[in-house]
């Protein structure tokens, strides 16, 4: 059974929201737009204008071309895909575990900086 092709930008907006596993509320909050605006776009009662397309692209790494026409890859690059997976997994964690992850990322960044400094000294 084949999937029905997505016909317009409003339907692609719904599709991207579902791929990102975001509720309409979470999607609206991430874009800093009203929940009713998202609802109206998803019900084809509002046009998805260029400002919204740019906002979705910048926020979630979605290809503007794909969002406008359905052509090409959905996401801009593989790195963006990794970031989205991390965000989805991070959002599933309890707040105390999220803090734990953030503390450890800070530690890893500090360690990386020390390793880079050591490598730079070796090169000189």
């Amino acid at each position: 059974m084949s999937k029905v092709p997505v016909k317009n930008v409003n339907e692609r907006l719904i599709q991207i929201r579902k791929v990102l596993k975001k509720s309409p509320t979470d999607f609206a909050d991430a874009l800093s737009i009203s929940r009713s605006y998202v609802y109206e776009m998803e019900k084809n009662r509002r046009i998805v204008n260029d400002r919204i397309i740019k906002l979705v692209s910048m926020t979630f790494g979605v290809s503007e071309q794909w969002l406008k026409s359905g052509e090409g890859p959905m996401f801009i690059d593989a790195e963006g895909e990794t970031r989205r997976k991390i965000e989805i997994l991070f959002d599933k964690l309890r707040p105390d575990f999220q803090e734990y992850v953030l503390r450890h990322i800070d530690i890893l960044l500090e360690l990386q900086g020390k390793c880079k400094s050591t490598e730079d000294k070796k090169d000189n």
Side-chain angles (χ1 to χ4, degrees):
M1 181 183 225
S2 65
K3 290 185 177 180
V4 176
V6 178
K7 295 177 183 149
N8 66 36
V9 66
N10 299 65
E11 291 176 4
R12 284 189 288 281
L13 196 66
I14 296 167
Q15 184 179 1
I16 196 66
R17 180 179 60 73
K18 289 180 178 180
V19 165
L20 294 169
K21 297 182 178 164
K22 294 208 175 283
S23 69
T25 298
D26 293 337
F27 195 70
D29 291 347
L31 296 172
S32 298
I33 61 176
S34 74
R35 295 166 186 155
S36 62
Y37 196 88
V38 169
Y39 175 81
E40 293 291 321
M41 287 187 297
E42 289 191 358
K43 295 296 180 191
N44 285 311
R45 295 182 190 148
R46 281 202 182 238
I47 294 171
V48 179
N49 61 35
D50 285 339
R51 183 181 75 84
I52 296 296
I53 289 171
K54 271 224 182 302
L55 194 55
V56 170
S57 177
M58 289 176 19
T59 304
F60 301 114
V62 175
S63 163
E64 285 186 43
Q65 178 188 357
W66 177 83
L67 199 48
K68 288 178 182 179
S69 67
E71 296 174 5
M74 182 182 289
F75 294 106
I76 295 169
D77 59 28
E79 182 180 318
E81 181 65 23
T82 300
R83 288 174 189 265
R84 278 179 290 290
K85 286 179 185 175
I86 290 169
E87 181 183 346
I88 289 166
L89 292 172
F90 186 81
D91 286 346
K92 290 181 181 180
L93 294 172
R94 294 185 341 211
D96 55 328
F97 287 171
Q98 289 178 347
E99 280 299 315
Y100 177 85
V101 168
L102 292 173
R103 280 195 310 271
H104 280 81
I105 288 173
D106 286 338
I107 291 168
L108 287 170
L109 288 170
E110 187 178 318
L111 179 61
Q112 178 177 276
K114 288 178 182 176
C115 290
K116 183 159 176 40
S117 296
T118 305
E119 289 171 4
D120 290 344
K121 287 179 185 176
K122 286 180 186 177
D123 291 340
N124 293 326

